[in-house]
Amino acid sequence: MLEVLDWLATYGAAPDGGVTRLLYTEPWLQAQQALLAKMQELGLEASFDAVGNVYGKLQGNRYTLRPVLTGSHVDTVKNGGKYDGAYGVVASMMALGYLKAVYGVPKRSLEVVSFCEEEGSRFPLAYWGSGHVTGVRSLAGSIDVADPEGITLSEAMREAGFQTANLGDHPAKREDIGAYIEIHIEQGSVLGYKKKQIGIVTAIVGQIRLTVVVKGNSNHAGTTPMTMRKDALAGASEMVVVTEQMALEEGEPLVATVGRLHVKRGTSNVVPGEVEFTLDIRHTDELKMDLFCTKLLTKLNEIARRRELTIETVENLHASPVAMHEGISAEIETACTAYGFQSMKLPSGAGHDAQLFGPICPSAMIFVPSRGGISHSPDEFTEPEELVVGFQTLVHVLYQYGYG
Ligand code: HGY
Ligand code: MN
Ligand code: MN
Ligand code: MN
């Protein structure tokens, strides 16, 4: 399993050790095609769906039982690590290959999925893969969304070989999934701090993602007096600082982040006329998350009014906090006890594809430690023996559902 993880990391590899696989780009396509071939080598029935998710199926012999789906996402953030998403895809794929080789045909089908995109790193449409499978994402209204280079989603899909016409709005939606189990790196430092090998996720925080566009007047930097400016960047900067201040006042577990800010047509001798930035707001409590978001947007509008700027906000994602399934979580705990692995229960501050499955089928997550809690960085790292402990736990749980 470990060498397969290194193999997958070669797709989109950068010299500094980072990995970049953005939706529908060449490294992304090569990785998905290579994973499909690897799944076939393992004896799984492998295929793409209409939006680029890759499935590998270990067919069961009792058709009345709903399949259990396991997997994660193949895409990365820009210059990310080699474990986020990829570990879940590889561990799940190798687990099904192992179960097939040792135990043969399961009673219920077991499927691995490599979701085409979860991060929202290229287009502001996080969970594009699992969102389509669960019906949260639709082609309608998304197909003309553009990436920072101005390439639309439909152009990118066609470029990668996926058709976009006559597909309907939900060409990849599934209604048949019996349960979803995802193994993932923790991307935090709790397991390391508590010296635990396995995290059993209790819940995934809610998440709101917005794009904010601030407009003023671009003007000459030399001839426009300070008192006569409508400076979109100065206004956006005040909004960024206020976002941090309000989040600090709100207190944990709320977090609010401006991860990307872009000065449109930015030039050193021009007063900025247009700025676009992103907002990422998370909380374990949906009502508090929504209330904070409303309060923050009210404040940002006040700043815009005072500065005679305009502000537009687009909500790209509104994912509710989701509790994980206690029954499957109990199976994970039983597996850890059987092997003598140290485990603990904890919430996830990171979003995951399991967040979209939680409302429609029993879903659970297994975490393995992240060294120093670092993720979304080339320094993301998990010890090989910890990766194997997670793999053994996943195999044990999938065995129960497939053969038990
Ligand atoms: O942003 C997240 O929480 C996840 O890594 N996509
Ligand atoms: Mn992830
Ligand atoms: Mn991530
Ligand atoms: Mn809400």
Side-chain angles (χ1 to χ4, degrees):
M1 191 259 304
L2 299 175
E3 63 284 353
V4 176
L5 200 52
D6 290 338
W7 161 82
L8 181 55
T10 61
Y11 293 91
D16 69 351
V19 180
T20 302
R21 286 193 297 268
L22 303 184
L23 180 63
Y24 301 133
T25 59
E26 198 48 37
W28 171 93
L29 183 60
Q30 287 168 7
Q32 286 292 65
Q33 288 169 335
L35 283 164
L36 188 144
K38 188 71 82 177
M39 289 175 189
Q40 287 170 331
E41 276 173 36
L42 291 165
L44 306 176
E45 293 164 33
S47 58
F48 275 100
D49 72 5
V51 295
N53 297 313
V54 172
Y55 287 98
K57 183 174 188 177
L58 176 52
Q59 180 64 49
N61 55 23
R62 285 181 52 189
Y63 295 91
T64 51
L65 298 176
R66 289 175 164 228
V68 167
L69 182 63
T70 181
S72 192
H73 58 94
V74 74
D75 68 305
T76 67
V77 295
K78 290 172 189 157
N79 203 33
K82 72 179 202 183
Y83 302 90
D84 177 3
Y87 170 57
V89 172
V90 168
S92 302
M93 176 176 72
M94 301 308 285
L96 295 199
Y98 171 80
L99 288 168
K100 175 180 168 65
V102 176
Y103 300 101
V105 177
K107 62 176 195 284
R108 100 176 44 237
S109 295
L110 300 173
E111 294 190 43
V112 52
V113 61
S114 173
F115 287 120
C116 60
E117 192 274 354
E118 181 264 0
E119 301 285 2
S121 301
R122 180 177 182 188
F123 299 96
L125 296 166
Y127 302 99
W128 181 247
S130 53
H132 265 282
V133 178
T134 56
V136 167
R137 287 289 182 208
S138 150
L139 288 181
S142 305
I143 204 71
D144 295 326
V145 169
D147 71 5
E149 276 67 54
I151 298 170
T152 64
L153 191 61
S154 56
E155 287 162 352
M157 280 182 81
R158 282 196 299 275
E159 186 80 17
F162 297 91
Q163 61 154 351
T164 55
N166 312 320
L167 281 177
D169 294 345
H170 297 284
K173 187 161 187 253
R174 290 186 61 172
E175 312 265 4
D176 63 326
I177 294 166
Y180 177 71
I181 301 171
E182 180 170 1
I183 191 165
H184 201 287
I185 55 171
E186 178 198 349
Q187 300 180 295
S189 43
V190 173
L191 292 179
Y193 180 71
K194 298 277 189 181
K195 302 212 181 330
K196 301 291 183 185
Q197 294 163 293
I198 294 288
I200 302 170
V201 177
T202 52
I204 301 173
V205 293
Q207 196 182 134
I208 296 175
R209 292 199 197 180
L210 302 138
T211 302
V212 181
V213 180
V214 179
K215 289 183 182 169
N217 282 346
S218 53
N219 214 326
H220 196 294
T223 58
T224 313
M226 294 307 288
T227 53
M228 293 172 67
R229 296 181 174 201
K230 294 180 182 176
D231 184 330
L233 180 53
S237 306
E238 183 179 350
M239 293 174 190
V240 172
V241 172
V242 161
T243 298
E244 183 192 42
Q245 278 166 349
M246 286 181 65
L248 286 165
E249 284 156 19
E250 180 76 15
E252 294 186 3
L254 179 114
V255 286
T257 311
V258 175
R260 185 170 61 80
L261 183 142
H262 176 62
V263 182
K264 295 278 178 96
R265 301 173 295 283
T267 316
S268 66
N269 60 349
V270 175
V271 176
E274 184 175 345
V275 170
E276 179 179 294
F277 64 87
T278 57
L279 271 178
D280 175 315
I281 299 166
R282 308 191 190 192
H283 202 303
T284 50
D285 179 312
E286 168 130 30
L287 187 58
K288 288 181 180 168
M289 176 176 76
D290 292 353
L291 284 176
F292 175 83
C293 186
T294 306
K295 258 177 24 187
L296 176 62
L297 294 184
T298 303
K299 185 69 186 164
L300 300 191
N301 275 279
E302 270 171 30
I303 294 169
R305 234 186 339 274
R306 172 167 41 83
R307 288 171 170 266
E308 295 179 73
L309 303 170
T310 63
I311 180 171
E312 288 159 49
T313 54
V314 175
E315 185 173 80
N316 305 313
L317 176 75
H318 194 125
S320 304
V322 178
M324 293 290 95
H325 188 260
E326 287 180 11
I328 307 177
S329 298
E331 281 297 340
I332 298 169
E333 197 163 20
T334 304
C336 292
T337 310
Y339 282 118
F341 296 154
Q342 299 300 312
S343 70
M344 67 176 285
K345 293 188 174 170
L346 75 168
S348 172
H352 297 288
D353 293 304
Q355 181 151 19
L356 273 61
F357 283 91
I360 62 167
C361 70
S363 300
M365 287 198 78
I366 302 169
F367 273 174
V368 294
S370 293
R371 185 175 61 187
I374 297 169
S375 182
H376 284 186
S377 152
D379 297 333
E380 192 177 271
F381 180 78
T382 298
E383 296 295 341
E385 49 276 5
E386 292 170 334
L387 295 169
V388 173
V389 163
F391 174 74
Q392 286 178 307
T393 305
L394 177 67
V395 168
H396 190 283
V397 174
L398 291 173
Y399 174 83
Q400 299 308 321
Y401 285 98
Y403 301 84

